Amino acid sequence: MANLFEFGPFVLNARERQLMRAGQAIHLQPKAFEVLLYLLEHAGNLAGKHEVLDAVWKDTFVTENSLTVCIRQIRVALGDDAESPVFIETIPTAGYRFIADVTRLEEAADTSGPPEIMGAKAGTSSVSRRTGLGILLAVIALAYLAVDKFFITQTGNEGAVDTSVFVAKSLDSDRWENSIAVLPFVNMSDDPDNEYFSDGLSEEITNLLARAPALKVIGRTSSFSFKHKSEGLREIGRKLNVKTILEGSVRKSGEQVRITAQLIDASDGSHIWSESYDRTLTDIFEIQDDVASSIIDALQLHVGTVPTRGRPTESPEAYALFLKARVAANVFDWRDAEALLLESVELDPNFAEAYEMLALVYWILPAGTTVIESQRLMSETAAKAIALDPDLVLAKAYYHAGLPGPKMRLRAIEAFERATRERPDNPSILEGFIFLLTEFGYLHEALTIAERYIELDPLSELANYQWPLTLYAVGRTEDAIAALEFANRSDWDPQLYRWAIAGVNLVENQGETAIAHVEAYLQQNGYPDPGWFRDLVTGGRDPETGQAYLDRRIPEIVAAMAEVDDVNWHRGLISLYLYFGYLDRYYELVLATDPVDTTWHPAGAHLWRGSIFRRLGSTAHPRYLEFAKVMGVMDIWEQRGPPDFCDKVDGQWVCE
C-alpha cells in the first residue's frame, strides 16, 4: 500500500502520520488526519458518511457531527473552500469526494535514519506512541483552526444586532431548500387564560414539523420572541432566515375549538395555504396532524412517511395540564412545571410525554434535598416514559444519563449523542450535548453542535450563551466577545452560565461588564447590598493579597446566602480563583468538594469551566488529570478518543 500521497502542494505520509507543505508540517487532529487519509485512499470516488464513520471511528459511537468537524479542519488546513472546492467536494446528504489529482508513491527504504519529505524530517510514529514530552507537545499543540466567521451588522436601531446573520456557513445552510417559523397562534377566546392552549398548539405543531428531515424549523424560543410585536412577516422572515411563516389563531369555548392557520411566503407576504378547523378538544391531535401534513404538501416536500402526532393521552384535562407545564418550563418556572406534570400523570398514568417532560424538569432543576434524589427521580420518570412509549428519544437520554454507578458520565454523553443523531432538531437535546462535550474536552465538536443550535433557534437565550462560550473555548476570542455583546444587549439572564460569562468578561479586561451583570442579578433577586461583588473583584485581583482576600471573603458571603443557594454560590464564587490565576488553590477547593456518584455534582461545572478557560492553564495544571480521573472522564477519553487538548504518551495521559 502506498505510504505517500502527493496532491497539489501537499504530501501526506501515512506511515509517519504527517501532512507537509513546502517542507513545513501542518497540524491536524488525529481523527482529521485519518479522515483525510481515507479520502485520499478513495480519491475520485464517493466516500459515504457512514463508510467514513465506520472506518475511522470503528467501534466508537459518534454522530455525523464528528465527521463534519474533521472535514472542516481539513479544509482549513488545505485552504479549501466548501462552496468552490479544489480538494474536497461535499455530496449533499451522501458524503464527500476527493476531487484533486492524487499521486501515490511508495516510501523509499532508508536504514540510516528516518526518511525526509521535501526537505523536512518525518516523525517516528503516531502521536499516541511517541516518547518524549517535548515531541508530543510539539505535535499536539493546539493550533486552533479558524472557521468562517459570523458577521455582525447594525440595524440603525440604537446599535441593535441584526440576528439574521447568525447562520453558521459551516453547517451547509443551503441544504435547507425549505424553512419555516411557526409564530405563536393568537388567542381569540373570550378568556385570556386560554392563551396556554394557543401557545401550546403552536409549539406542538413546531415540534411535529421539526421531524420532517427536509424542513428547517425554527425553534420555539425564537419564533415566540415576536409575540405581541408588530414586526412585519418579511422582517421576521429575514431575522429568522426562513422562507415561510405559519401563523394562525385559536378560539376555544368549552369543548369546542376553532383553529385557523395560514402559510405565508416570507419574501413577499403571499399566501401559500390556509385552512380553518371547527372541532372538539378530543380532535386536537388530529388537527395538529392535518396542519403538518398540509404544510408538507404545500411545500412539496418529499419526506417519506409524514410525521404524525398520534394520541398521547385520552384525557383533555391531563393534556391541558401538560401544556400549562410547558408554558411554565419555557419561562424557567421549573417548580410550577413539576407540580402541573405530577397532576397530569395522576389524571392519566399512561401519559408518556408528561413523564418525559417531568424527567426534563429533574434534569434541569434538581428537586428534593440532594442531587442524588433528583437523579433518581429523573431516571425513574424517564423509565416510566420509555415503558409507555419506547420511541421517546429524550426520555431515553435522561434514563441512561441518570443511571448511577461506574462509567456514569460515559453513559450520559453516549445517550445524548444518540439522541442528537435521532433528533437533531430538539433544543433540549442539543443544549445538554453541548454542555457534556465541553465538559469532557471535545471543544470543536461542541462548537459544531452550538452552531447548529444557533441556526435552528437564533434568539434562544441558552443558544446565545452556549455559542460564545464554545467559541471562546476553541480560541476564537474576538468572535466570542462579539457574540456576547449581542447577548448582553438583551434582557436575558444567563442562568446556568452566569459565572462563566462573568469569567470571560473578567479575563478579557471587561470587569465593569461582569460587575454590572452580577449586580443587576443581585438586585433583581432581592439580595442586599450588591456592592460586595465589586469589592470581591477588586480585592481578588491583587496578585499579592488576592488569594488570601478570597479565602476570607467567599466563606463569609456564602454563609450569608439562603441555605438552598449556598452550594451554587460557593460553586460560582470559587471560580474567581481560576479567573485570577490562583490555580493551586482552585484545584484544592474543587477536589475538596468530594465528587459523588451523580451527573450534577457541583464539581462538574468546574470541569466544564476548566475546558472553557484552558488558556489560563487549567487543563495543563498537574491536578487537572487528578480531577479528571476522580470524575470518571478518563473512561470517556479511552472509549471515545482523546479530547482536543490531551493525548496518551507511553500509557499516560498528557494534557496542555
Side-chain angles (χ1 to χ4, degrees):
M1 178 181 293
N3 289 324
L4 303 180
F5 296 81
E6 184 176 1
F7 54 98
F10 300 95
V11 173
L12 181 142
N13 187 321
R15 184 174 68 84
E16 303 298 342
R17 312 288 291 180
Q18 281 194 326
L19 175 65
M20 308 290 293
R21 175 173 179 162
Q24 298 295 318
I26 298 175
H27 175 73
L28 274 180
Q29 293 286 342
K31 290 300 183 184
F33 185 94
E34 292 182 34
V35 170
L36 176 57
L37 176 58
Y38 186 90
L39 294 177
L40 290 171
E41 290 173 341
H42 298 81
N45 299 316
L46 170 65
K49 292 182 179 180
H50 292 292
E51 296 173 14
V52 182
L53 288 171
D54 290 342
V56 174
W57 281 270
K58 295 183 174 68
D59 298 327
T60 303
F61 183 89
V62 297
T63 68
E64 291 180 6
N65 290 314
S66 300
L67 177 57
T68 302
V69 170
C70 290
I71 292 293
R72 186 198 310 160
Q73 291 177 356
I74 295 168
R75 280 177 170 148
V76 172
L78 302 181
D80 205 15
D81 186 345
E83 297 181 0
S84 302
V86 174
F87 297 107
I88 300 175
E89 177 186 18
T90 298
I91 310 301
T93 74
Y96 304 93
R97 179 184 290 114
F98 199 91
I99 57 177
D101 291 335
V102 178
T103 301
R104 306 187 185 200
L105 305 170
E106 289 292 342
E107 189 175 15
D110 184 355
T111 59
S112 63
E116 293 189 5
I117 304 174
M118 299 176 68
K121 290 187 178 182
T124 57
S125 64
S126 67
V127 170
S128 62
R129 296 176 183 171
R130 290 181 184 177
T131 59
L133 182 58
I135 295 177
L136 170 72
L137 295 180
V139 175
I140 68 172
L142 293 178
Y144 288 118
L145 300 173
V147 186
D148 288 327
K149 291 186 176 181
F150 67 92
F151 302 92
I152 294 183
T153 60
Q154 301 298 327
T155 64
N157 181 18
E158 299 181 355
V161 175
D162 180 358
T163 60
S164 67
V165 297
F166 284 3
V167 178
K169 289 176 63 179
S170 61
L171 292 174
D172 297 329
S173 297
D174 58 355
R175 73 188 186 281
W176 300 114
E177 295 182 6
N178 291 283
S179 53
I180 188 171
V182 180
L183 298 184
F185 280 30
V186 178
N187 176 31
M188 301 293 290
S189 306
D190 295 333
D191 185 356
D193 290 341
N194 280 331
E195 191 151 323
Y196 80 89
F197 186 82
S198 57
D199 285 354
L201 179 63
S202 308
E203 190 166 356
E204 293 277 72
I205 293 173
T206 297
N207 294 337
L208 186 56
L209 288 171
R211 299 180 190 175
L215 183 62
K216 170 186 171 182
V217 182
I218 293 297
R220 179 257 176 217
T221 303
S222 297
S223 294
F224 271 60
S225 68
F226 297 98
K227 187 175 181 178
H228 302 314
K229 294 183 180 178
S230 57
E231 293 189 65
L233 295 182
R234 289 187 184 182
E235 181 67 9
I236 293 173
R238 186 186 68 82
K239 287 187 174 182
L240 297 181
N241 194 36
V242 293
K243 297 180 179 179
T244 55
I245 293 174
L246 180 70
E247 62 176 4
S249 64
V250 178
R251 184 182 298 276
K252 180 174 174 287
S253 178
E255 295 298 310
Q256 299 298 313
V257 59
R258 178 179 176 81
I259 298 173
T260 62
Q262 54 184 355
L263 186 64
I264 309 296
D265 187 325
S267 65
D268 57 14
S270 62
H271 286 62
I272 300 174
W273 164 87
S274 63
E275 188 62 81
S276 296
Y277 304 88
D278 289 289
R279 306 283 181 86
T280 64
L281 285 179
T282 56
D283 296 327
I284 189 62
F285 305 119
E286 285 80 1
I287 296 175
Q288 295 171 24
D289 287 346
D290 287 347
V291 170
S293 177
S294 297
I295 290 172
I296 289 171
D297 288 343
L299 296 177
Q300 298 181 344
L301 300 182
H302 302 288
V303 298
T305 302
V306 176
T308 60
R309 181 69 176 87
R311 295 190 65 83
T313 177
E314 298 296 333
S315 170
E317 296 81 5
Y319 185 61
L321 291 166
F322 173 80
L323 294 181
K324 291 178 180 179
R326 179 172 279 166
V327 171
N330 287 332
V331 295
F332 308 113
D333 190 351
W334 300 106
R335 295 297 185 191
D336 193 25
E338 178 192 16
L340 290 164
L341 290 167
L342 288 172
E343 188 176 353
S344 177
V345 295
E346 184 176 355
L347 288 174
D348 182 1
N350 296 316
F351 194 174
E353 291 182 17
Y355 282 115
E356 182 182 51
M357 192 190 300
L358 193 55
L360 165 64
V361 170
Y362 293 135
W363 167 265
I364 296 294
L365 181 66
T369 57
T370 67
V371 290
I372 293 290
E373 175 68 4
S374 296
Q375 182 163 332
R376 181 187 64 80
L377 290 170
M378 182 186 75
S379 189
E380 286 182 358
T381 52
K384 290 178 181 178
I386 297 169
L388 293 165
D389 185 352
D391 294 329
L392 292 178
V393 175
L394 195 56
K396 288 189 285 188
Y398 292 143
Y399 172 72
H400 290 288
L403 289 176
K407 300 189 177 182
M408 173 189 59
R409 289 178 175 81
L410 174 60
R411 286 198 303 274
I413 194 170
E414 288 180 340
F416 271 85
E417 193 160 24
R418 284 191 296 270
T420 300
R421 177 178 291 179
E422 294 181 47
R423 288 293 304 277
D425 58 281
N426 188 298
S428 295
I429 293 173
L430 298 181
E431 195 274 333
F433 192 34
I434 295 166
F435 188 95
L436 292 172
L437 286 169
T438 306
E439 182 180 3
F440 304 140
Y442 301 103
L443 305 180
H444 284 88
E445 190 173 355
L447 178 57
T448 298
I449 305 297
E451 287 174 340
R452 179 177 180 84
Y453 192 1
I454 204 78
E455 180 192 31
L456 294 177
D457 211 350
L459 300 182
S460 161
E461 177 179 334
L462 292 176
N464 276 282
Y465 281 114
Q466 276 197 319
W467 184 41
L469 288 174
T470 52
L471 284 168
Y472 192 79
V474 302
R476 292 173 57 185
T477 304
E478 292 183 5
D479 290 351
I481 296 299
L484 279 180
E485 286 176 357
F486 162 66
N488 289 337
R489 290 174 189 172
S490 70
D491 58 357
W492 293 328
D493 176 10
Q495 298 282 339
L496 298 173
Y497 305 108
R498 180 179 302 110
W499 294 110
I501 298 300
V504 172
N505 290 319
L506 291 172
V507 172
E508 298 301 325
N509 297 316
Q510 298 182 20
E512 286 300 319
T513 301
I515 291 170
H517 279 284
V518 174
E519 287 186 343
Y521 167 78
L522 292 169
Q523 290 174 336
Q524 291 168 3
N525 290 274
Y527 289 97
D529 186 22
W532 61 259
F533 185 71
R534 178 181 294 275
D535 295 338
L536 197 63
V537 171
T538 302
R541 277 193 184 280
D542 190 306
E544 295 183 0
T545 63
Q547 180 174 316
Y549 180 81
L550 295 178
D551 284 347
R552 177 174 60 84
R553 284 293 290 139
I554 288 178
E556 294 174 352
I557 294 169
V558 172
M561 298 298 176
E563 184 177 355
V564 70
D565 293 331
D566 58 0
V567 172
N568 290 329
W569 277 106
H570 182 266
R571 176 177 58 187
L573 291 176
I574 68 173
S575 62
L576 294 176
Y577 290 95
L578 168 64
Y579 304 147
F580 297 152
Y582 312 125
L583 290 179
D584 290 342
R585 181 62 170 151
Y586 176 67
Y587 276 112
E588 180 183 355
L589 292 170
V590 168
L591 286 163
T593 57
D594 188 24
V596 293
D597 196 15
T598 172
T599 309
W600 303 276
H601 191 274
H606 293 297
L607 197 64
W608 175 73
R609 286 195 192 99
S611 291
I612 292 173
F613 293 95
R614 56 178 304 273
R615 71 185 63 187
L616 300 179
S618 54
T619 57
H621 192 276
R623 302 203 75 181
Y624 172 75
L625 286 174
E626 178 185 352
F627 185 30
K629 184 176 182 179
V630 169
M631 295 292 286
V633 178
M634 291 181 179
D635 291 333
I636 298 171
W637 297 347
E638 294 286 354
Q639 179 67 29
R640 205 174 184 273
D644 288 11
F645 44 78
C646 301
D647 214 323
K648 221 170 185 183
V649 182
D650 295 335
Q652 300 295 321
W653 285 104
V654 178
C655 298
E656 61 171 23

